[in-house]
Amino acid sequence: MSRKSDPKFTRAMLVLYPLAKAFTLRGGDIEALLARNGIPHAAMTDPTKLVDAFTCYAAIEDMAETLGDPYFGAKVAIETASKGTPAFREAATHALTLGDFLSRLVVEVPKQVDNVRHSVSVTPDAASFEVHRTVKAHKPSTQLDAIGVTLFVTLIKKGIGETFDPKDILITVPTTKGLPPGFLPKRALITSPIDGLRISFPPHWLWAPFSLDWALAALPRGEFGPDDHSEATLTYLRGMLRDNIAHPDLHLESFAAICGLHPRRVQRIMQAMGSSFSQIRDHMRQCVAEDLLSKTALPVSQIALDVGFSSPAALNRAFRRWTDKTPTQFRAESKPEQV
């Protein structure tokens, strides 16, 4: 059996990347952590690189212990669910109901990872969304369990809005130690030695209107008038670009879809402000890259991915065009002088 088809191995970049970024921004040394857990740095930049799944899980536990934050994984999961990711956007794009969304996740997840399976089951009394790990965890998975619960509960809560009632949800999970206090009522949580988690809720939730319209969080869609070319609108579009700048295929059409606008509408708004989508996207990439280089210790290879470039070389070329410097030179010159 090849590693690619062996459920004991997973794509470390997909599992660890958002956590590694949050760990570094909170002051953690990601290079040291990867070395401690025997994870090659290439696994953080190459989406095809496979690493033992339990090694990835141990690294997540290590992050929480290093930061002294037992709720680290849960916090990152909530942030991720609140901001959106390409995978969730893909599943939510054409989902009209919660049932649509969960069904699409069941199809999309196997395309990403081999060691987790999702399923949906329905009875007259309850519906359940289950996450099943195909390999049995042989060490505590406190952070992993907390990530799963907070991620999917936040997505469901955000997606169905007022239909969500914490009194009607029941979570079965191996441990609740990594869940922030008050995230759910205690009566909504059951611990059981299952390999994954189960989220049960009333069947009628499946037919509840579902929308993960992250655009609405920044500016109510009603503020867009037919000819609204205001600075507020441009600020909104810039903000959405910044939030989604890591998408490698962030073209005008995909960006417009994220915002819930027609591509020509976005184009007209930017043209009226004397700019273009490509110019603003390029400027935003520069701003985010400079910010990460000057304020964090993230590797240049990771920053390249954070701003939507496929490789450090691509970021290097763009940075020379922006500043006549390499990212490494810019970082060195941005460090405050020692007094």
Side-chain angles (χ1 to χ4, degrees):
M1 179 184 293
S2 67
R3 279 195 171 195
K4 188 174 182 179
S5 59
D6 189 339
K8 290 190 298 183
F9 294 90
T10 188
R11 297 173 184 175
M13 179 179 165
L14 294 174
V15 176
L16 293 180
Y17 181 72
L19 293 153
K21 180 179 178 181
F23 176 73
T24 304
L25 290 173
R26 287 165 168 78
D29 185 342
I30 190 62
E31 302 286 353
L33 183 133
L34 292 175
R36 273 200 307 274
N37 290 277
I39 300 174
H41 190 270
M44 299 303 295
T45 57
D46 182 356
T48 66
K49 187 76 173 178
L50 298 177
V51 175
D52 181 271
F54 296 121
T55 300
C56 289
Y57 302 160
I60 299 172
E61 301 294 331
D62 192 346
M63 289 180 193
E65 292 174 8
T66 300
L67 295 175
D69 183 357
Y71 311 122
F72 168 70
K75 291 175 182 176
V76 176
I78 293 171
E79 291 171 6
T80 300
S82 299
K83 293 181 179 179
T85 68
F88 292 138
R89 290 188 189 278
E90 181 67 28
T93 297
H94 303 293
L96 299 178
T97 65
L98 174 61
D100 285 343
F101 176 68
L102 296 180
S103 297
R104 291 174 189 277
L105 275 185
V106 170
V107 174
E108 290 296 324
V109 168
K111 299 177 183 178
Q112 303 287 334
V113 293
D114 296 325
N115 61 330
V116 178
R117 293 288 181 270
H118 292 36
S119 62
V120 178
S121 59
V122 186
T123 70
D125 299 318
S128 293
F129 175 69
E130 297 190 30
V131 180
H132 174 70
R133 296 176 202 146
T134 55
V135 288
K136 186 175 178 62
H138 52 263
K139 290 184 178 180
S141 55
T142 302
Q143 295 301 308
L144 194 65
D145 295 331
I147 289 170
V149 173
T150 51
L151 178 66
F152 290 111
V153 170
T154 301
L155 286 171
I156 293 172
K157 182 178 180 179
K158 184 177 178 64
I160 63 177
E162 294 181 358
T163 300
F164 183 89
D165 187 337
K167 297 192 299 294
D168 291 337
I169 196 168
L170 187 65
I171 311 293
T172 305
V173 69
T175 178
T176 61
K177 291 181 179 179
L179 294 178
F183 179 74
L184 283 172
K186 288 185 178 180
R187 63 177 176 272
L189 301 167
I190 296 176
T191 57
S192 175
I194 62 174
D195 293 320
L197 68 96
R198 181 185 304 113
I199 303 175
S200 300
F201 48 86
H204 73 264
W205 283 18
L206 292 172
W207 288 273
F210 186 86
S211 174
L212 285 177
D213 196 343
W214 288 279
L216 292 176
L219 186 69
R221 193 172 291 165
E223 292 188 23
F224 288 108
D227 299 307
D228 188 358
H229 300 148
S230 68
E231 184 62 32
T233 300
L234 192 61
T235 298
Y236 163 80
L237 294 175
R238 284 178 177 144
M240 288 301 293
L241 265 174
R242 185 181 185 94
D243 290 344
N244 296 278
I245 202 65
H247 293 211
D249 297 318
L250 192 61
H251 303 301
L252 175 61
E253 290 74 15
S254 59
F255 176 70
I258 290 171
C259 295
L261 298 171
H262 193 282
R264 286 198 296 272
R265 181 80 179 281
V266 175
Q267 206 167 30
R268 284 198 300 269
I269 292 172
M270 293 184 171
Q271 286 175 347
M273 303 302 291
S275 189
S276 68
F277 172 74
S278 60
Q279 288 173 332
I280 295 179
R281 180 187 59 190
D282 197 52
H283 177 66
M284 194 57 63
R285 279 177 170 162
Q286 179 181 354
C287 291
V288 175
E290 289 181 351
D291 196 44
L292 292 174
L293 285 166
S294 61
K295 297 180 181 179
T296 78
L298 287 169
V300 172
S301 57
Q302 191 168 330
I303 292 175
L305 294 173
D306 281 343
V307 295
F309 288 110
S310 59
S311 67
L315 174 62
N316 192 69
R317 289 192 296 271
F319 221 85
R320 284 186 178 276
R321 174 167 52 82
W322 296 331
T323 66
D324 286 329
K325 301 172 185 175
T326 66
T328 302
Q329 289 170 335
F330 179 87
R331 168 171 275 171
E333 293 176 10
S334 299
K335 290 182 179 179
E337 294 184 3
Q338 298 293 327
V339 179

